[in-house]
Amino acid sequence: MTWTSAFGRACGWLLQKIVNGLALSRISPNTLTFVGLIINIVAAFFFGYARSANADRMFLYAGLVIIGAGLFDMVDGRVARQTNQVSVFGAFFDSVIDRYSDVALFFGLLVFYARGNRFFYVFLAAFVMTASLMVSYTRARAEALIGQCKVGFMERPERIVLIILGALFNHWGTMAPALWVLAVLSTITVIHRIRFTYLETERRKLQPTT
């Protein structure tokens, strides 16, 4: 057994213990989802409150808080399955709250750059926020038409990891490159999903009707 697999098993064991405890409390998975949003809003406040003198510290706090919010994002679905509370509305609610969480984080960054008069990065943060929403929107619309559209790399977990890395290591100026990576890869993902949906709809046109 490698140390990475051992670490993964230990994290899985700890996560399951947390899920077991939450399941015993009979807490609603939707409540856990909403708590994750509140925690992300706290992280957004850290971003927005940061200024040049304390940016590294505020960004570090924000990164740690986002990790905490990610814990709720990981357990809500598991708790729902373990307590037989899985529902169509729960999946819908989780998706909607995830979008609000994303917007909150990028809005916090937008405020930070606006307060520092870094207007190019205000634009970049706004663009990344829009592109992130479009990644989710294109998948939702495509799946309403063709059933499945999971192509593309820049899903929400990847976006959150990049934001966390940018925040935790902002002392070395990592947030700006993280935003560039998000902007480029999110746009590529949107284009990929548009192309995939187009090709799939064209393919279905050619299928003989019965």
Side-chain angles (χ1 to χ4, degrees), residues 76-125:
D76 55 1
R78 289 177 171 86
V79 170
R81 289 188 290 272
Q82 191 157 316
T83 58
N84 295 318
Q85 298 185 70
V86 176
S87 67
V88 174
F89 175 78
F92 166 79
F93 185 72
D94 182 65
S95 180
V96 171
I97 294 301
D98 283 349
R99 304 291 81 75
Y100 273 112
S101 294
D102 291 348
V103 168
L105 294 176
F106 290 121
F107 190 78
L109 288 170
L110 192 152
V111 170
F112 165 71
Y113 289 121
R115 292 178 66 202
N117 295 321
R118 300 174 66 182
F119 294 114
F120 177 80
Y121 281 97
V122 171
F123 169 79
L124 182 60

Side-chain angles (χ1 to χ4, degrees), residues 177-188:
L179 288 176
W180 277 108
V181 172
L182 283 165
V184 172
L185 294 185
S186 295
T187 301
I188 291 173

Side-chain angles (χ1 to χ4, degrees), residues 111-157:
V111 170
F112 165 71
Y113 289 121
R115 292 178 66 202
N117 295 321
R118 300 174 66 182
F119 294 114
F120 177 80
Y121 281 97
V122 171
F123 169 79
L124 182 60
F127 178 83
V128 173
M129 178 170 64
T130 303
S132 297
L133 291 175
M134 289 304 299
V135 167
S136 301
Y137 178 77
T138 49
R139 176 175 175 177
R141 287 296 298 142
E143 291 186 344
L145 297 172
I146 61 176
Q148 191 174 57
C149 181
K150 294 183 179 180
V151 300
F153 171 74
M154 193 50 65
E155 293 279 7
R156 186 168 188 266

Side-chain angles (χ1 to χ4, degrees), residues 189-206:
T189 298
V190 170
I191 294 171
H192 191 180
R193 289 180 175 179
I194 292 172
R195 181 176 182 275
F196 177 82
T197 304
Y198 170 76
L199 293 176
E200 182 64 17
T201 54
E202 290 299 304
R203 184 186 67 81
R204 293 186 180 190
K205 285 182 183 179
L206 300 176

Side-chain angles (χ1 to χ4, degrees), residues 12-85:
W13 176 85
L14 178 60
L15 185 63
Q16 188 57 49
K17 290 296 182 183
I18 294 171
V19 170
N20 291 343
L22 292 170
L24 288 174
S25 71
R26 303 300 297 178
I27 189 170
S28 167
N30 292 339
T31 300
L32 295 174
T33 301
F34 188 76
V35 170
L37 169 63
I38 300 301
I39 297 174
N40 274 313
I41 290 174
V42 172
F45 271 105
F46 279 124
F47 282 141
Y49 182 75
R51 55 187 187 277
S52 57
N54 67 356
D56 293 343
R57 179 162 50 90
M58 291 295 104
F59 273 51
L60 177 62
Y61 294 162
L64 294 174
V65 170
I66 296 169
I67 292 173
L71 177 64
F72 283 86
D73 199 36
M74 288 189 291
V75 302
D76 55 1
R78 289 177 171 86
V79 170
R81 289 188 290 272
Q82 191 157 316
T83 58
N84 295 318
Q85 298 185 70

